C-alpha cells in the first residue's frame, strides 16, 4: 500500500493518460463506426462490400499489429504523428469494427416499417438513417456498446509497449524501481476495475433516460 502512496503522482498521470486514450478513441471509433454502418445498410453494393471488408479486416488482425503498422507505416508515406496520436488512431480504427457490428444489430432491430414510413414522408436515405433509424438503434444496443467500450479501456494497456505513459506503463515503471509487483499491479487492476464500473454506471443511467416505453 505504501508503494502506491509513494508513487501516487506517477499512477495519477498514468490514469489520466488512460482516460484520455479511452475517451478520444471512443469518439474516433464511434465516428468511423457510424460511417461504416451507414455503408453496410446502404443500397449501394460497393459501399456494402467496403463495410463488410472493413469489419472483417479489423476484427481478424490483432490490435497490437495495427498499432505497430501505424507507428512504422505512416512515416513511410510522409505522415508523422506522435505516439499518442498513433495509439488513438489504432484504437479507433480497431474498435470501430466492433461498434459498427453492434450498431448494425441495433438497426436490424428497428422495424422496417419505420424506414419505409420515413421515406414515404419524403426523407432521403441519410436523413432516414440519422433521424429515424439510428436514434432507435442506439437505444437498443447501449449495453453491447458499453461492453465494447470497456474492452477499449482494457485495450489501452497494449499501448504501454510503445512507451505511452498510461496506467500499465506507470505500473511497470514503478515496479522496476521498487521490485514490489504485487501491490503495484493489484493497485493498477483495481483502478481499471473502477474505470470499467464508471462506464457501466454511465450506461445504466443512459438506459434509464432513453428507455423506449412500448
Amino acid at each position: 500500500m505504501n508503494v502506491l502512496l509513494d508513487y501516487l503522482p506517477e499512477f495519477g498521470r498514468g490514469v489520466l493518460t488512460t482516460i484520455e486514450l479511452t475517451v478520444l478513441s471512443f469518439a474516433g471509433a464511434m465516428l468511423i463506426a457510424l460511417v461504416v454502418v451507414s455503408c453496410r445498410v446502404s443500397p449501394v453494393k460497393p459501399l456494402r462490400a467496403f463495410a463488410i471488408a472493413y469489419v472483417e479486416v479489423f476484427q481478424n488482425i490483432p490490435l497490437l499489429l495495427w498499432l505497430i503498422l501505424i507507428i512504422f507505416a505512416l512515416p513511410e508515406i510522409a505522415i508523422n504523428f506522435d505516439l499518442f496520436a498513433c495509439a488513438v488512431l489504432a484504437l479507433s480504427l480497431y474498435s470501430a469494427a466492433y461498434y459498427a457490428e453492434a450498431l448494425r444489430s441495433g438497426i436490424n432491430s428497428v422495424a422496417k416499417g419505420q424506414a419505409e414510413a420515413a421515406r414515404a414522408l419524403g426523407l432521403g436515405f441519410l436523413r432516414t438513417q440519422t433521424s429515424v433509424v439510428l436514434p432507435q438503434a442506439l437505444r437498443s444496443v447501449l449495453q453491447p456498446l458499453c461492453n465494447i467500450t470497456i474492452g477499449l479501456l482494457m485495450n489501452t494497456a497494449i499501448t504501454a509497449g510503445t512507451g505511452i505513459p498510461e496506467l500499465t506503463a506507470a505500473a511497470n515503471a514503478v515496479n522496476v524501481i521498487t521490485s514490489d509487483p504485487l501491490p503495484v499491479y493489484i493497485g493498477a487492476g483495481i483502478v481499471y476495475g473502477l474505470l470499467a464500473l464508471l462506464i457501466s454506471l454511465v450506461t445504466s443511467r443512459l438506459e434509464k433516460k432513453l428507455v423506449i416505453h412500448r
Side-chain angles (χ1 to χ4, degrees), residues 138-186:
L138 277 170
R139 291 173 188 171
S140 65
V141 293
L142 275 177
Q143 194 54 52
L145 293 179
C146 170
N147 295 338
I148 296 169
T149 305
I150 290 173
L152 169 60
L153 166 69
M154 302 307 167
N155 281 337
T156 60
I158 291 176
T159 66
T162 66
I164 294 174
E166 49 72 66
L167 180 56
T168 300
N172 290 339
V174 172
N175 182 50
V176 167
I177 298 169
T178 62
S179 298
D180 195 3
L182 275 182
V184 169
Y185 289 109
I186 287 174

Side-chain angles (χ1 to χ4, degrees), residues 14-152:
V15 172
L16 284 178
T17 304
T18 293
I19 292 172
E20 287 174 357
L21 274 173
T22 304
V23 171
L24 293 174
S25 300
F26 169 77
M30 283 300 289
L31 282 174
I32 298 168
L34 286 171
V35 173
V36 172
V37 79
S38 296
C39 292
R40 186 65 186 268
V41 299
S42 163
V44 183
K45 194 172 180 180
L47 291 179
R48 292 202 304 274
F50 159 75
I52 292 170
Y54 182 95
V55 171
E56 290 296 325
V57 167
F58 279 94
Q59 284 192 342
N60 290 297
I61 296 178
L63 171 60
L64 180 59
L65 190 54
W66 284 116
L67 184 59
I68 293 169
L69 282 173
I70 287 172
I71 289 173
F72 289 102
L74 289 185
E76 295 292 327
I77 55 174
I79 298 176
N80 293 302
F81 289 158
D82 60 24
L83 283 176
F84 186 86
C86 287
V88 170
L89 182 59
L91 286 165
S92 298
L93 291 169
Y94 181 80
S95 302
Y98 293 90
Y99 282 122
E101 283 299 272
L103 289 173
R104 187 170 70 89
S105 68
I107 288 174
N108 289 338
S109 72
V110 178
K112 287 184 179 177
Q114 299 270 344
E116 290 170 356
R119 287 172 189 166
L121 292 172
L123 299 182
F125 173 76
L126 278 178
R127 186 76 186 279
T128 299
Q129 292 299 319
T130 56
S131 299
V132 178
V133 178
L134 276 175
Q136 297 183 70
L138 277 170
R139 291 173 188 171
S140 65
V141 293
L142 275 177
Q143 194 54 52
L145 293 179
C146 170
N147 295 338
I148 296 169
T149 305
I150 290 173
L152 169 60

Side-chain angles (χ1 to χ4, degrees), residues 181-199:
L182 275 182
V184 169
Y185 289 109
I186 287 174
I190 289 172
V191 174
Y192 278 117
L194 291 174
L195 291 175
L197 181 62
L198 178 63
I199 293 171

